[in-house]
Amino acid sequence: MRTPTRPPLDGLKKRLDQSRAENARMPRDGFLRETFVLPRNDARKKAKEWFDRWPKQAYWTSIESWFERPGDVIEFTIRRLPSS
């Protein structure tokens, strides 16, 4: 009786490599991050919404970085802890 051959693992290896590459780019500090590209007034509203929903004192919410883009557009990354 022959033992069955193993199925090819190329797809699994490829996906595992992709996942590891994605995780290598993300900091492992426990913060959740989200990046927005919005007009200035909408950016202010979005930041206020985050600080109202996840207060700085409990979730360490902060604007991690921001850039002013052409056309009065703001790109910013905001971070917070997943739970308080």
Side-chain angles (χ1 to χ4, degrees):
M1 179 177 238
R2 265 179 97 199
T3 55
T5 60
R6 290 185 175 186
L9 298 177
D10 295 336
L12 178 61
K13 288 179 183 177
K14 184 178 178 181
R15 181 63 192 128
L16 187 57
D17 289 342
Q18 287 174 346
S19 176
R20 287 179 178 159
E22 289 171 5
N23 290 339
R25 285 182 274 156
M26 299 299 288
R28 293 184 181 186
D29 58 5
F31 285 96
L32 299 176
R33 290 172 172 80
E34 195 163 342
T35 301
F36 301 95
V37 180
L38 300 167
R40 185 179 303 270
N41 288 334
D42 293 340
R44 285 183 180 146
K45 290 175 187 174
K46 181 58 74 174
K48 182 172 177 5
E49 176 185 313
W50 267 63
F51 282 103
D52 288 344
R53 187 166 181 188
W54 296 289
K56 185 172 187 165
Q57 294 79 4
Y59 293 92
W60 293 11
T61 305
S62 68
I63 305 293
E64 193 169 59
S65 64
W66 67 276
F67 304 96
E68 189 172 343
R69 300 288 183 209
D72 206 31
V73 172
I74 306 296
E75 177 181 340
F76 65 100
T77 301
I78 192 164
R79 73 176 190 181
R80 68 174 176 88
L81 289 173
S83 63
S84 63

